[in-house]
Amino acid sequence: MGVTLPSVLAIDAGNSKTDVALLAPDGSVLCSGQAGGFQPPRTGVVAAVDVLAAAMADAGLRADPAAGPWAERVSACLANADFAVEERELAREIERRGWGRTTAVHNDTFALLRSGLPTGADPCGVAVVCGAGINCVGMTPDGRTARFPAVGRISGDWGGGGGLAEEALWCAARAEDGRGGPTELARALPAHFGHASMASLIEAMHLGRVPHARRHELTPVLFAVAAAGDPVALSLVHRQADEVVAMASVALGRLDLLEREVPVVLGGSVLAAGHPQLNDRIAAGLAERAPRARISVITAPPVLGAGLLGLDALGSPPEAYEKLRAHFG
């Protein structure tokens, strides 16, 4: 008789952090762990998967092949898995480590979409994630998908927390030196880091006195300035909203879903924060371009979606889904 394993090793790895959860057959979470950001384009595949191993170690799971397999299925939803070749490379490296009897790798935006679909619902809808970056996926019950490369400006992307911070800095720098119009951003952004001027902040950033990794702290400052009525800051927030609407509408159109009542799931730190200037404009834009779309904002950890996808693959009973959802609130 074979050894009964936990059902799913669920992994969600984003640019800034990685979460793992080991799920029992009934959907309960046996253990969980966390590690740093997952960035294979910068570190290479092996070093990136080492981050997943670190999250497993944080959960009390030995990540070497001699210790596994830990689960029937590894369900890994990974940032930077934007092309099929990347998904295959990452899946091979995870399989090599023997963590599960079977392995599936998806782009992490599919975890968001799955989280927004109720138990028993057809896999049909569109998700837009706007966190450090921005991405969008869609799928239909017959297996069709809509995706974007989502690798930055070379693939036509704009926004996300990192992009918004860069745009805010650009506008503030030009406002202070006279190349652009006035904006409260020129005072608020340097003040956040204890500087009196943009010139001082620019020098500090250039010389590494303000680490690049801290630039994301400026995105909430941008939203606060926009909420106070600053026209330049508000224009950036509105542009981000319009970009979300464009991505969702294009994905819906590719899948022939513009006229159907389907979920549009929003998530990621920028969208989950609930800024009215952003989310209300998204709702208005989608009401015009996809009037039957049902918008929801997901705040549960994305590892939930990875777990649900794993339960899907194993044909788990409905109560397992409900237990897993209850664990993550």
Side-chain angles (χ1 to χ4, degrees):
M1 182 179 294
V3 175
T4 300
L5 293 174
S7 287
V8 179
L9 176 63
I11 303 173
D12 175 78
N15 285 290
S16 59
K17 69 179 178 68
T18 297
D19 287 296
V20 302
L22 186 65
L23 311 184
D26 68 353
S28 59
V29 176
L30 300 174
C31 59
S32 60
Q34 193 171 93
F38 181 80
Q39 299 184 350
R42 293 185 179 180
T43 67
V45 168
V46 174
V49 176
D50 285 343
V51 174
L52 310 185
M56 291 175 63
D58 187 58
L61 305 175
R62 287 174 55 206
D64 60 276
W70 286 106
E72 290 290 346
R73 187 171 185 84
V74 176
S75 177
C77 295
L78 309 176
N80 301 299
D82 296 304
F83 294 91
V85 63
E86 293 172 320
E87 291 176 339
R88 290 194 297 268
E89 289 174 351
L90 290 163
R92 281 196 296 267
E93 179 60 24
I94 293 171
E95 288 168 350
R96 185 183 70 80
R97 304 198 185 204
W99 297 340
R101 287 179 175 160
T102 62
T103 297
V105 169
H106 308 278
N107 180 272
D108 60 338
T109 313
F110 283 101
L112 172 65
L113 177 56
R114 185 61 187 85
S115 295
L117 300 178
T119 300
D122 288 334
C124 186
V126 163
V128 182
V129 61
C130 189
I134 188 168
N135 199 358
C136 175
V137 300
M139 63 189 304
T140 59
D142 61 8
R144 289 181 297 142
T145 62
R147 297 182 62 170
F148 296 86
V151 292
R153 292 187 66 84
I154 63 170
S155 59
D157 307 321
W158 188 90
L164 286 168
E166 293 289 337
E167 290 291 331
L169 286 164
W170 187 87
C171 292
R174 293 173 68 88
E176 183 172 278
D177 68 20
R179 287 177 292 173
T183 172
E184 174 64 12
L185 292 169
R187 183 206 62 79
L189 299 189
H192 175 78
F193 290 116
H195 288 265
S197 67
M198 278 301 298
S200 174
L201 176 59
I202 291 165
E203 179 179 320
M205 287 183 161
H206 177 68
L207 297 176
R209 296 176 191 143
V210 175
H212 189 278
R214 292 193 63 193
R215 295 189 186 189
H216 71 89
E217 296 176 19
L218 296 177
T219 306
V221 179
L222 165 65
F223 278 98
V225 173
D230 182 83
V232 172
L234 191 58
S235 72
L236 296 179
V237 173
H238 284 174
R239 183 179 175 188
Q240 181 66 92
D242 295 345
E243 185 69 10
V244 170
V245 171
M247 294 186 88
S249 299
V250 168
L252 288 166
R254 288 180 185 172
L255 298 173
D256 302 314
L257 298 176
L258 280 171
E259 303 302 324
R260 291 181 55 185
E261 187 173 319
V262 293
V264 172
V265 183
L266 307 180
S269 58
V270 173
L271 293 173
H275 301 290
Q277 292 80 13
L278 178 67
N279 291 23
D280 289 355
R281 187 176 176 96
I282 291 170
L286 284 173
E288 181 177 340
R289 297 183 63 173
R292 300 188 67 189
R294 303 192 309 272
I295 301 170
S296 63
V297 179
I298 300 298
T299 58
V303 71
L304 167 63
L308 292 171
L309 286 167
L311 295 179
D312 289 342
L314 297 177
S316 299
E319 55 267 24
Y321 294 84
E322 298 309 319
K323 182 167 284 191
L324 182 59
R325 287 189 184 275
H327 176 87
F328 287 108

